[in-house]
Amino acid sequence: MIIYKLSEPCQKTGIYVGDTFYPGYTGYFKDKQTAMAFFALDYQQTSKSKMFVEAVDHAGNRSKSGFHHYIKNKVFRKDVLNISDRFLSSKMPEFENLIKRNGDNSPVQTFLKVNRELRKTNYLKIMEVVQNPEKTVHWSGRFLRLPKSARKSAFADHRTYRYKGKKIDQQVHLGIDLASLARSPVSAANTGKVVFSDNLGIYGNTIVIDHGFGLFSMYSHLSERNVQAGQMVSRGDIIARTGSTGLAGGDHLHFSMLVHGTFVNPVEWWDSAWIENNVSSKIRDAETGG
Ligand SMILES: [Zn+2]
């Protein structure tokens, strides 16, 4: 997150990270020209990605400003998923009407269409859902993690899918899988507005909450959804139950966090020290003119 001061009202301002634009918003601080922007590197970007603040005034004049930053190298895990005939025969029927059926309609071909094409369609839907974030910061404090749960997959695991010992596909896992008891209650990780509550292909029953200024949390594979789009929820409210809808082998919660259209590592948002260092202390400094 970055806080910066504009010298005049602007028609467009925000942060570029490589080619990705993250809008900055005024209105949070008493000073009408102090802007705040949440931004992120996606899992594929490196220290070579250029980062700068940009502001465009009403006459169309563009100005850029760099800022001090340091990017740590991060190596993501590799994981192998063996796709069994049992998994295919129990899971593929629910997807058969969601994909284009042509040529080879074997269960493994259906799986590949689901894992590639349907995954892409679902991704585009998520990008549409996060398009116009709330211009209010609804959240505060750390985000809640599913209680008493074990982590089954990490953020940005590079997954290889194998069928009968042969590699058939690879994808990147842009969330964290948490397993607890079947049908465990799921609470809103923080306060915000529900912007999506529906079935979403590979993600099954899914809820997306808009926390404001571009920050979103997403809950997938749910067996039950108890909230509707448009509804405000508070941190800790029970919104759903875990399940195994969509492309899930067993009952778990797939939890994602997004900064605008970029999936980020939820571990950071569960950590109160990380939030204090990267967000809260900066806001306090800006409020006291530090
Ligand atoms: Zn997952």
Side-chain angles (χ1 to χ4, degrees):
M1 188 268 276
I2 188 165
I3 298 167
Y4 55 100
K5 200 166 166 154
L6 301 161
S7 57
E8 58 179 295
C10 287
Q11 54 150 308
K12 184 190 170 195
T13 177
I15 314 300
Y16 270 99
V17 178
D19 294 330
T20 316
F21 180 70
Y22 297 88
Y25 304 109
T26 54
Y28 184 85
F29 298 97
K30 265 188 216 133
D31 182 311
K32 300 257 181 314
Q33 267 151 235
T34 300
M36 173 157 75
F38 287 84
F39 63 101
L41 265 93
D42 72 32
Y43 72 93
Q44 291 169 301
Q45 287 175 311
T46 66
S47 54
K48 291 191 184 84
S49 303
K50 288 204 169 53
M51 276 189 199
F52 54 89
V53 182
E54 190 180 75
V56 183
D57 71 10
H58 291 290
N61 300 307
R62 212 168 269 273
S63 72
K64 279 185 191 180
S65 176
F67 55 90
H68 176 75
H69 62 275
Y70 173 71
I71 300 167
K72 280 192 267 184
N73 213 16
K74 170 87 181 164
V75 178
F76 295 105
R77 300 193 329 168
K78 288 185 171 66
D79 199 7
V80 174
L81 272 75
N82 289 301
I83 303 301
S84 66
D85 283 324
R86 211 179 119 193
F87 173 78
L88 293 177
S89 59
S90 71
K91 275 285 158 186
M92 289 310 108
E94 74 179 72
F95 290 110
E96 273 162 9
N97 56 352
L98 295 174
I99 56 157
K100 285 189 204 97
R101 293 176 61 74
N102 47 24
D104 184 352
N105 288 326
S106 66
V108 68
Q109 281 307 316
T110 302
F111 170 79
L112 290 176
K113 278 179 199 161
V114 169
N115 208 35
R116 294 171 183 169
E117 292 158 34
L118 188 58
R119 179 181 293 272
K120 216 170 274 173
T121 308
N122 298 155
Y123 171 80
L124 293 175
K125 179 68 193 174
I126 299 165
M127 292 305 108
E128 191 188 308
V129 166
V130 302
Q131 205 46 242
N132 282 303
E134 293 269 294
K135 308 295 186 289
T136 310
V137 175
H138 292 301
W139 66 278
S140 67
R142 70 177 194 93
F143 283 65
L144 302 175
R145 183 186 188 274
L146 185 70
K148 294 181 192 135
S149 59
R151 195 191 75 179
K152 296 295 179 189
S153 296
F155 176 74
D157 276 0
H158 285 53
R159 288 176 161 176
T160 297
Y161 297 80
R162 275 198 203 139
Y163 178 66
K164 295 194 196 296
K166 230 180 80 189
K167 177 182 164 184
I168 53 167
D169 205 4
Q170 55 185 22
Q171 298 292 343
V172 179
H173 183 249
L174 296 175
I176 293 187
D177 290 344
L178 298 167
S180 180
L181 298 171
R183 295 181 53 80
S184 284
V186 175
S187 52
N190 219 316
T191 300
K193 185 183 180 181
V194 177
V195 284
F196 183 87
S197 177
D198 208 339
N199 193 282
L200 187 62
I202 66 163
Y203 297 100
N205 275 315
T206 295
I207 294 171
V208 179
I209 301 177
D210 180 347
H211 302 287
F213 277 35
L215 195 57
F216 295 85
S217 58
M218 176 175 152
Y219 314 75
S220 297
H221 305 312
L222 305 167
S223 56
E224 198 180 299
R225 287 181 281 110
N226 303 324
V227 289
Q228 284 171 358
Q231 193 177 331
M232 286 298 300
V233 289
S234 296
R235 184 176 186 266
D237 284 355
I238 304 299
I239 55 168
R241 283 183 181 275
T242 63
S244 54
T245 55
L247 205 54
D251 188 298
H252 73 276
L253 174 69
H254 172 101
F255 181 77
S256 290
M257 292 282 308
L258 294 105
V259 173
H260 295 280
T262 302
F263 285 92
V264 297
N265 195 343
V267 165
E268 295 173 336
W269 297 92
W270 290 331
D271 179 354
S272 47
W274 186 89
I275 289 184
E276 168 62 21
N277 293 336
N278 291 283
V279 183
S280 315
S281 63
K282 292 183 182 180
I283 291 177
R284 278 200 309 274
D285 284 353
E287 279 167 342
T288 57

